[in-house]
Amino acid sequence: MAEAERDGNRSTRREYMKDGTALLAAGSLAGCSDLSGGVAESDETQTQAGRSYSGTMAPVGELRLESKPERIVGGWGFEEDILTALGEADKLVAAEGNQFWFTGFYDQLPGVDVPDPGSLDLVRTDDWSLKTEFLYELDPDLFAVDPNRFISYYGADEDDISEIEDSIAPFFGNASRRKRGDDWPTWPGDEPYAYYDIPELVSRYGDLFGKSETATAINDRYRTALEDMRSRVPPESARPSVALLNAQINPDTEGFFRAYNPETAIDKTYGKKQYRDLGLVDAFEGEYGGQAGIQIDYEALLEVDPDVIVFHFGVNYRDWNDDDALRKTVEGMRDSPLGQKLTAVQEDELYVGGSAYQGPIINLFQTEMLGKQLYPDEFGEWPGEVTAGELPEIPEDEWLFDREELADIVSGSN
């Protein structure tokens, strides 16, 4: 088990965050270690001097390790993608969940290998309870997750998390996929804590793993590619209207469709980032009543009659418990007398959507995918069939970012 220490004891840290005097509690650290900033540089210096691997992350604060973690517990796919970008995915031994980590895009990055998500042990039971005894047996060096997910999702309490950190391994993660609910826990502090965007999280993990230079290179390529894609989005008047539907939920399985609001309450959240970045024109705009999604039927779909339908989580639901849930949703729509009246069905404008658990690599691929699906005149056509078994590879002359360049950074060849 890797030796770790926090910046001060737990009670001191709680008081520090509670009284509002700390940068971390105020959320000001969200930009302090951005890419090549002061925190990244100082941590890199510490690592080179052999003192520690050090990083800072709300809500847990600063973490200093005597050695780089060799046994890591991941989350639902986001943290795994960041570890892949930093060349550390081979250290994963377990995860919160494995079905949302879509690894198909990595096949397009030469020399980049990752564990089979199905090979990772789960730290929770099927009924969403934390397998505490198993965590002791697993003996990881790091939980690369937000500890408050263990409280919110798996029934742990604050004392459980304190015991896990003291007896097994420290936590280092931040739940920023979507807006946290009002009842979201705040261990080890007493106040809500900062959100981080993808580059900020890459930078902070890079600090902890002694990979600040790799993190900076990943972020540079990531930002450059996204800025180029965003700059080429057509004016709103030339964009199609889109219904963003869950790829698994349909009238045959649940009695309804679920339509997602592509807008997000917190700009830094990453779960639906590609839709926000590429200016998706929502067919159901104004219908959500402050909710992230709504239940709709065929009549509601026909009323707005979107030009395009994108099935969110589609890459995940193509193989869900050995069942192609996406195919069933699409074929049910094509077979339905009401579904056949939809313009998107008639024009075959039905597309596989991305996973919400997307770090820098997956988000790049999924943003490129969406750009080609919505704006083919600008980005080139998406060549994939929505119910195809595998996602297509884009010809090199139609790439929106350089796969080989990205792979070289990940593998350390650049």
Side-chain angles (χ1 to χ4, degrees):
M1 184 183 302
E3 293 295 323
E5 61 177 286
R6 295 288 187 191
D7 186 14
N9 60 47
R10 183 173 295 105
S11 60
T12 300
R13 187 170 69 249
R14 283 180 173 172
E15 293 167 2
Y16 183 61
M17 295 180 71
K18 183 177 180 181
D19 68 16
T21 61
L23 288 173
L24 180 59
S28 301
L29 274 176
C32 287
S33 69
D34 188 25
L35 301 181
S36 59
V39 173
E41 291 176 359
S42 63
D43 288 339
E44 184 71 18
T45 300
Q46 286 186 1
T47 300
Q48 292 173 350
R51 292 173 57 189
S52 69
Y53 292 83
S54 177
T56 302
M57 179 93 73
V60 298
E62 183 180 11
L63 174 63
R64 295 191 297 271
L65 304 175
E66 290 186 357
S67 60
K68 187 162 65 174
E70 296 296 330
R71 295 177 57 80
I72 303 171
V73 173
W76 284 86
F78 173 75
E79 293 86 358
E80 287 84 337
D81 192 46
I82 288 182
L83 292 173
T84 299
L86 295 174
E88 301 292 336
D90 61 327
K91 310 298 195 307
L92 287 161
V93 295
E96 292 180 67
N98 52 25
Q99 290 173 303
F100 287 111
W101 184 23
F102 179 69
T103 60
F105 293 121
Y106 304 138
D107 295 339
Q108 301 182 41
L109 299 178
V112 174
D113 297 315
V114 298
D116 177 358
S119 71
L120 300 178
D121 290 315
L122 297 185
V123 300
R124 58 166 179 83
T125 64
D126 291 341
D127 61 358
W128 290 67
S129 296
L130 195 62
K131 300 191 310 191
T132 305
E133 290 186 8
F134 170 69
L135 296 182
Y136 281 90
E137 297 172 5
L138 189 65
D139 193 24
D141 300 316
L142 181 72
F143 292 97
V145 299
D146 188 327
N148 290 294
R149 289 215 302 252
F150 280 25
I151 299 173
S152 181
Y153 291 171
Y154 313 127
D157 59 28
E158 292 190 355
D159 289 339
D160 295 329
I161 301 304
S162 297
E163 176 66 22
I164 290 170
E165 183 183 57
D166 289 341
S167 302
I168 304 177
F171 290 87
F172 196 76
N174 177 284
S176 290
R177 178 172 70 90
R178 60 185 180 185
K179 184 180 184 297
R180 306 172 198 130
D182 294 338
D183 60 347
W184 186 262
T186 59
W187 186 94
D190 298 316
E191 299 293 335
Y193 49 96
Y195 291 83
Y196 300 130
D197 62 20
I198 288 176
E200 288 170 331
L201 285 159
V202 171
S203 181
R204 292 170 189 277
Y205 277 107
D207 292 346
L208 186 68
F209 282 84
K211 292 286 190 76
S212 295
E213 291 184 2
T214 300
T216 298
I218 288 289
N219 284 336
D220 285 347
R221 299 299 187 275
Y222 175 77
R223 283 180 162 146
T224 298
L226 286 188
E227 286 171 2
D228 177 67
M229 285 187 259
R230 285 195 295 259
S231 72
R232 295 168 58 185
V233 171
E236 186 170 350
S237 60
R239 302 175 210 163
S241 63
V242 182
L244 187 60
L245 304 185
N246 183 281
Q248 182 186 39
I249 297 174
N250 59 66
D252 293 327
T253 59
E254 302 288 343
F256 55 83
F257 292 107
R258 180 166 180 79
Y260 289 108
N261 184 354
E263 294 297 321
T264 52
I266 305 294
D267 285 343
K268 289 192 173 187
T269 55
Y270 56 78
K272 293 181 282 190
K273 187 176 188 298
Q274 68 271 39
Y275 309 118
R276 185 171 68 237
D277 281 346
L278 295 187
L280 184 147
V281 174
D282 181 22
F284 288 99
E285 183 178 3
E287 300 295 323
Y288 300 99
Q291 302 299 310
I294 53 174
Q295 297 178 10
I296 61 169
D297 54 19
Y298 275 115
E299 285 77 8
L301 264 177
L302 283 166
E303 185 174 344
V304 300
D305 196 22
D307 299 313
V308 173
I309 295 175
V310 174
F311 294 97
H312 193 41
F313 287 106
V315 295
N316 302 121
Y317 287 128
R318 293 179 312 123
D319 183 13
W320 189 252
N321 297 325
D322 298 321
D323 184 31
D324 193 338
L326 171 62
R327 178 182 293 273
K328 290 182 178 179
T329 297
V330 171
E331 290 180 349
M333 183 174 285
R334 286 171 170 167
D335 292 340
S336 165
L338 291 176
Q340 292 172 7
K341 296 180 180 180
L342 291 164
T343 297
V345 173
Q346 294 174 358
E347 300 296 326
D348 200 25
E349 294 287 342
L350 307 175
Y351 294 107
V352 57
S355 172
Y357 294 88
Q358 51 180 344
I361 296 176
I362 295 175
N363 179 247
L364 274 181
F365 276 102
Q366 292 187 160
T367 306
E368 177 188 71
M369 180 172 73
L370 183 69
K372 290 178 175 294
Q373 291 167 347
L374 299 187
Y375 315 126
D377 290 344
E378 177 60 39
F379 295 118
E381 291 189 4
W382 173 251
E385 160 62 35
V386 65
T387 56
E390 299 291 337
L391 294 183
E393 289 197 24
I394 306 299
E396 184 173 352
D397 61 353
E398 297 180 20
W399 288 352
L400 301 186
F401 64 94
D402 193 314
R403 275 81 160 142
E404 295 176 355
E405 192 175 74
L406 182 60
D408 285 346
I409 295 172
V410 172
S411 63
S413 302
N414 66 319

